[in-house]
Amino acid sequence: MRIYHNFEHLPKFRNPVVAVGSFDGVHLGHQQILAFLKKAAQRYDGESIVLTFHPHPQQVLHPERDFFLINTPEENAELIEQQEIDNLIFIEFTTTFSQLSPNDFIKLLIEKIGIKAVVMGPRHNFGKNGEGNSTTMREICAKNSIEIITIPEFILEENKVRSSKIREHIVNKEFRQAELLLGHPLKKN
């Protein structure tokens, strides 16, 4: 897996298919997105790309909150690589970056990456104030001939698998439950 730390000096990707998100913990829901991403990239005879952020958007947008990462960015990168993803792009998340409109964000992905398709979960929000969602993404991408692949939320034993729920289990020292949702052992930071 090739790792890039900004939008500068990216190569010309072959038919890039992208998934965007924080991917903290690379839990079972993330793994489902990555599996769809790989399949879509194969269908396009292209490359799979995960676009993620550092620092985590919550750390920038809500520094007053008691927020912690499940894994370090390096640990998440290792877990993403285990899913056989071709490329990982870390973007510095700043307050300025957070002000991009959903339309400008998609334009940036088109300009810098040349996206052909986007894989996203049903709860993914993006752009200024999280105004972008799967409907917004579909509308913007339709104008640019980009396919949107929206996948269902991953549910395990009637539990929606979310990073926030995993953090809650960690805080409550329910490590077995956290690992069940992660689908892998917790990293010991």
Side-chain angles (χ1 to χ4, degrees):
M1 181 175 76
R2 293 171 297 282
I3 299 176
Y4 305 93
H5 292 278
N6 55 49
F7 280 131
E8 304 307 315
H9 312 296
L10 291 176
K12 182 168 176 26
F13 297 110
R14 186 183 80 255
N15 301 324
V17 180
V18 178
V20 179
S22 298
F23 292 93
D24 187 26
V26 193
H27 58 59
L28 290 172
H30 296 142
Q31 291 170 39
Q32 176 178 261
I33 290 170
L34 298 175
F36 272 82
L37 176 65
K38 271 179 37 180
K39 286 179 187 168
Q42 290 168 350
R43 190 164 43 87
Y44 274 86
D45 187 30
E47 296 181 62
S48 57
I49 300 174
V50 168
L51 177 70
T52 192
F53 308 102
H54 183 71
H56 191 289
Q58 291 296 320
Q59 294 173 306
V60 174
L61 299 174
H62 305 287
E64 74 284 356
R65 291 185 184 165
D66 191 19
F67 179 84
F68 64 93
L69 294 173
I70 297 168
N71 290 332
T72 66
E74 295 77 19
E75 290 167 341
N76 287 330
E78 183 179 307
L79 290 165
I80 290 168
E81 183 173 31
Q82 288 172 11
Q83 300 298 311
E84 299 177 355
I85 298 304
D86 299 316
N87 301 280
L88 174 62
I89 303 173
F90 282 101
I91 298 301
E92 182 181 8
F93 193 89
T94 64
T95 51
T96 302
F97 185 82
S98 75
Q99 297 304 302
L100 284 175
S101 70
N103 197 49
D104 287 342
F105 179 69
I106 299 302
K107 283 183 180 176
L108 188 64
L109 297 184
I110 293 167
E111 177 187 316
K112 298 293 186 178
I113 300 174
I115 60 174
K116 300 292 182 200
V118 177
V119 177
M120 62 188 291
R123 296 182 59 247
H124 182 79
N125 289 20
F126 64 99
K128 184 177 181 180
N129 299 322
E131 295 165 359
N133 56 33
S134 59
T135 302
T136 311
M137 179 77 85
R138 193 168 305 289
E139 291 168 0
I140 296 169
C141 289
K143 295 174 189 172
N144 294 286
S145 301
I146 297 167
E147 181 185 9
I148 299 300
I149 303 161
T150 306
I151 63 170
E153 186 162 25
F154 191 88
I155 297 177
L156 180 69
E157 298 176 0
E158 300 181 19
N159 293 303
K160 295 177 180 176
V161 178
R162 298 178 178 162
S163 297
S164 58
K165 186 65 177 171
I166 294 166
R167 285 187 194 90
E168 184 181 311
H169 284 314
I170 293 169
V171 166
N172 294 330
K173 300 192 181 338
E174 299 165 346
F175 303 118
R176 199 168 140 276
Q177 291 93 325
E179 289 180 340
L180 185 66
L181 299 181
L182 284 166
H184 56 79
L186 269 169
K187 300 286 185 178
K188 307 296 183 219
N189 295 335

